[in-house]
Amino acid sequence: MPDSNNNAKASIDKWVTAEVRAMKAYRVPSSTGLIKLDAMENPYTLPATLKQEWLSVLGGVSVNRYPDPDSTELKALIRSCFSIPDECGLMLGNGSDELIQIIAMLVGGVGRTFLAPVPTFSMYQQISVATATQFAGIPLTADFSIKAENLFEAMEEFSPACIFFAYPNNPIGNCFDPTTIKQVINSAPGLVVVDEAYFAFCQKSFINEIAAHPNLIVLRTMSKSGLAGLRLGLMLGNPEWIEQMEKLRLPYNNNILSQASAQFYLQHHDILQQQAGQIRKDRSWVFQEMSKISGIEVFPSEANFLLFRVERSADEVFNGLREKGVLIRNLHNPSSPLENCLRVTIGLEQENRVFIAALSSLLFL
């Protein structure tokens, strides 16, 4: 076995790029037995009666057959639910991660650069590296906003093939100045991607800008709206660009059970909207309660999570909460804007109360 491992390592050193070898795989910690507030998921499920209807629908699906490769019925329902203009091209992906990867495959590569304000969604950089594309992160200010001057200087320096904006930004939850983003769209040499993964919790969108800006791509996902397990992402843009993206999409990337489930859920879209509304209300309550706790700084958010900084060690607070049965996300990165920062997802009312009680008890020690 040792010789086999050595041979594998030698082969990897030869054929896998140094950049990929230096990467770390995306790891998801176990949440068994814990209140799970670490992954920006919708904590609600369907009412019991609707859940039985959904299971009945799945029972009628012919899993021995390939799914509709174009997701025709699902796309029509998505256009109706989200008021997507007919002139917008629409492509579905296995989560928005796959769509980001397709964008990188299409316009990235050796000698090209992607830009994004940082800190932001980690997959922009990870996929850039995987596609041999240079990634240039533009540091946000101390209050996590964009300094437009720095962004435009980077555009001039790198002539980026693509610029990514998470809107609201993950892991902070703030929406960048829309005027700045529009200025970038108007002057960018390549694509501009506005990732609206948390649209359900802020109700702000650039979709209506697509018709006037052929270089604009808008991403959405159903993961934050209660369908994380289905892995359904949406890409909207100029039809000419979407046609090029489709060439790189793997056939049958949205399986038949996901298509049937998404169609059923979207036929009850009002329930998903009600759940998002409740999460927005609960976000306000959690923010207010966290603001009363000494020793932390909580940042305003338009997403379904809250970022906060602790005066004590973030590692100690994270581990202390875990011991009390609550799992959140530890974002601590020494000597960075996220030093001693943690992020908590808005959960069910009782879960939120347990989190507040646990956090208060830890910080009052």
Side-chain angles (χ1 to χ4, degrees):
M1 193 66 171
D3 287 341
S4 176
N5 289 341
N6 290 336
N7 289 339
K9 289 178 180 177
S11 183
I12 288 169
D13 289 343
K14 179 178 179 180
W15 294 111
V16 179
T17 67
E19 292 78 8
V20 172
R21 295 201 305 273
M23 291 169 62
K24 293 183 179 179
Y26 191 90
R27 303 292 186 190
V28 179
S30 172
S31 60
T32 303
L34 301 172
I35 294 175
K36 192 175 189 305
L37 301 177
D38 67 324
M40 295 90 77
E41 297 154 325
N42 178 339
Y44 298 99
T45 59
L46 284 176
T49 53
L50 283 180
K51 188 173 290 187
Q52 289 301 315
E53 288 184 35
W54 168 57
L55 293 174
S56 178
V57 168
L58 294 185
V61 171
S62 300
V63 293
N64 59 311
R65 302 295 184 185
Y66 286 113
D68 174 5
D70 298 316
S71 304
T72 307
E73 292 184 14
L74 177 55
K75 282 183 178 179
L77 195 52
I78 287 172
R79 285 187 180 275
S80 174
C81 285
F82 299 112
S83 302
I84 297 172
D86 292 338
E87 60 269 24
C88 284
L90 171 62
M91 176 174 162
L92 304 185
N94 182 12
S96 57
D97 294 343
E98 182 192 28
L99 299 175
I100 295 167
Q101 185 178 59
I102 287 173
I103 292 168
M105 291 168 62
L106 185 68
V107 300
V110 176
R112 298 187 178 182
T113 302
F114 291 161
L115 292 186
V118 292
T120 192
F121 184 39
S122 63
M123 294 307 294
Y124 302 147
Q125 181 171 4
Q126 190 158 338
I127 290 174
S128 297
V129 172
T131 55
T133 309
Q134 180 183 10
F135 180 84
I138 312 304
L140 296 172
T141 62
D143 64 353
F144 298 113
S145 61
I146 294 175
K147 188 174 181 179
E149 179 183 349
N150 293 345
L151 185 57
F152 287 105
E153 286 178 357
M155 289 170 57
E156 182 69 25
E157 177 182 357
F158 294 105
S159 188
C162 186
I163 303 171
F164 290 95
F165 292 104
Y167 187 83
N169 190 25
N170 171 15
I172 296 93
N174 60 322
C175 284
F176 297 128
D177 177 19
T179 299
T180 299
I181 295 179
K182 289 177 184 178
Q183 290 172 345
V184 170
I185 295 169
N186 286 328
S187 56
L191 292 177
V192 176
V193 174
V194 178
D195 187 347
E196 299 180 351
Y198 301 93
F199 167 77
F201 312 106
C202 74
Q203 300 293 300
K204 298 177 182 178
S205 179
F206 277 79
I207 284 181
N208 290 330
E209 300 290 332
I210 290 174
H213 300 95
N215 66 326
L216 173 62
I217 298 292
V218 172
L219 299 181
R220 293 270 185 94
T221 178
M222 297 301 298
S223 292
K224 315 306 177 187
S225 298
L227 307 182
L230 295 187
R231 308 303 300 129
L232 180 62
L234 289 65
M235 181 191 294
L236 302 162
N238 180 279
E240 296 291 333
W241 271 108
I242 298 300
E243 181 181 356
Q244 299 305 311
M245 304 284 185
E246 286 281 6
K247 297 175 183 178
L248 300 179
R249 179 177 64 84
L250 294 176
Y252 312 117
N253 62 328
N254 293 114
N255 72 71
I256 198 167
L257 294 177
S258 289
Q259 288 188 40
S261 296
Q263 286 176 227
F264 180 84
Y265 270 76
L266 289 176
Q267 287 166 358
H268 303 281
H269 188 234
D270 59 319
I271 293 176
L272 300 183
Q273 291 178 308
Q274 290 168 13
Q275 292 174 353
Q278 184 61 51
I279 290 170
R280 292 195 295 269
K281 292 179 182 177
D282 292 340
R283 177 185 65 199
S284 296
W285 181 85
V286 175
F287 181 88
Q288 291 170 4
E289 293 301 308
M290 292 180 71
S291 299
K292 298 175 185 176
I293 303 173
S294 61
I296 71 170
E297 178 185 13
V298 58
F299 297 92
S301 171
E302 296 190 68
N304 65 336
F305 58 81
L306 290 167
L307 180 79
F308 63 103
R309 180 180 287 118
V310 293
E311 293 179 359
R312 295 175 54 182
S313 162
D315 292 339
E316 288 182 10
V317 174
F318 172 80
N319 291 327
L321 287 171
R322 189 180 180 99
E323 289 174 4
K324 291 177 179 293
V326 181
L327 178 65
I328 64 172
R329 184 69 181 270
N330 187 354
L331 298 170
H332 172 59
N333 186 358
S335 302
S336 82
L338 293 176
E339 185 170 12
N340 282 327
C341 282
L342 302 110
R343 185 188 65 203
V344 59
T345 302
I346 305 303
L348 300 172
E349 179 182 354
Q350 183 58 29
E351 294 174 334
N352 297 332
R353 291 185 180 278
V354 171
F355 161 71
I356 292 294
L359 183 63
S360 298
S361 65
L362 281 173
L363 296 181
F364 284 146
L365 291 177

